[in-house]
Amino acid sequence: MAKKDKEASELLETASKIQDAREKRKAENDQRRQQKKEQQEALEAKKKAIREQGLIEAYEKINKKKKDKQEEDARLAKELKEIRLQRQYMNANAAMVEEKAWKELEAGAERQIRDQQNNRLID
């Protein structure tokens, strides 16, 4: 009986050691899984922050391009308006130049006629 009690106690002790070892390995595995999970979450958070930063930079870049395009369109519209005005003035000036040339031709013809008349009168 004592031998059986001793064997039973040894078996219980061995079972207890096995149970303790299993619990220890389980705790280590749980801790390792928890650390891996935390690392994965930290990595995901970092990726998310980088992605958000990239989106913000892309948004700012797009807005800058839109603003630059609007400024360029406004500048071109202003330049086009100035060119139109210059063309109007040039057309007006061309008409004035043509009118002045016509008047000079008329004045030259009148002078020539007057000179001819004066020459006839003198002769």
Side-chain angles (χ1 to χ4, degrees), residues 2 13 24-27 39 46 49 73 77 83 98 102 109 118:
E13 191 177 310
K24 184 179 176 184
R25 275 187 276 142
K26 182 179 185 273
Q39 287 175 347
K46 190 175 181 180
D73 288 345
I83 289 171
E98 188 176 327
W102 179 255
N118 284 339

Side-chain angles (χ1 to χ4, degrees), residues 94-107:
M96 288 175 59
V97 167
E98 188 176 327
E99 184 179 339
K100 185 177 179 183
W102 179 255
K103 285 183 181 179
E104 288 178 8
L105 284 173
E106 284 184 339

Side-chain angles (χ1 to χ4, degrees), residues 6-53:
K6 186 179 176 185
E7 285 179 15
S9 123
E10 286 176 3
L11 285 174
L12 286 174
E13 191 177 310
T14 305
S16 174
K17 286 180 182 178
I18 291 172
Q19 184 65 28
D20 288 344
R22 285 181 180 169
E23 287 176 2
K24 184 179 176 184
R25 275 187 276 142
K26 182 179 185 273
E28 288 173 354
N29 286 339
D30 287 345
Q31 184 180 8
R32 193 170 44 247
R33 269 186 253 131
Q34 183 64 28
Q35 286 176 346
K36 191 173 182 179
K37 183 179 177 183
E38 288 173 359
Q39 287 175 347
Q40 186 67 26
E41 288 174 353
L43 181 63
E44 289 297 322
K46 190 175 181 180
K47 284 181 180 179
K48 185 178 179 182
I50 290 171
R51 193 172 330 125
E52 287 176 0
Q53 180 65 27

Side-chain angles (χ1 to χ4, degrees), residues 27-118:
E28 288 173 354
N29 286 339
D30 287 345
Q31 184 180 8
R32 193 170 44 247
R33 269 186 253 131
Q34 183 64 28
Q35 286 176 346
K36 191 173 182 179
K37 183 179 177 183
E38 288 173 359
Q39 287 175 347
Q40 186 67 26
E41 288 174 353
L43 181 63
E44 289 297 322
K46 190 175 181 180
K47 284 181 180 179
K48 185 178 179 182
I50 290 171
R51 193 172 330 125
E52 287 176 0
Q53 180 65 27
L55 288 174
I56 290 171
E57 288 173 1
Y59 178 76
E60 289 172 353
K61 189 175 181 181
I62 289 170
N63 280 343
K64 184 181 182 304
K65 283 185 178 182
K66 282 182 182 178
K67 183 182 174 191
D68 291 345
K69 186 177 183 315
Q70 288 175 346
E71 289 174 356
E72 181 69 14
D73 288 345
R75 186 186 64 79
L76 289 174
K78 182 180 177 184
E79 199 173 298
L80 183 62
K81 185 177 180 180
E82 289 175 1
I83 289 171
R84 284 183 186 152
L85 285 174
Q86 286 177 350
R87 284 185 181 165
Q88 284 179 347
Y89 290 136
M90 291 174 110
N91 287 339
N93 285 339
M96 288 175 59
V97 167
E98 188 176 327
E99 184 179 339
K100 185 177 179 183
W102 179 255
K103 285 183 181 179
E104 288 178 8
L105 284 173
E106 284 184 339
E110 286 178 10
R111 263 194 319 269
Q112 189 176 11
I113 292 171
R114 214 177 4 200
D115 288 343
Q116 286 176 359
Q117 285 178 351
N118 284 339

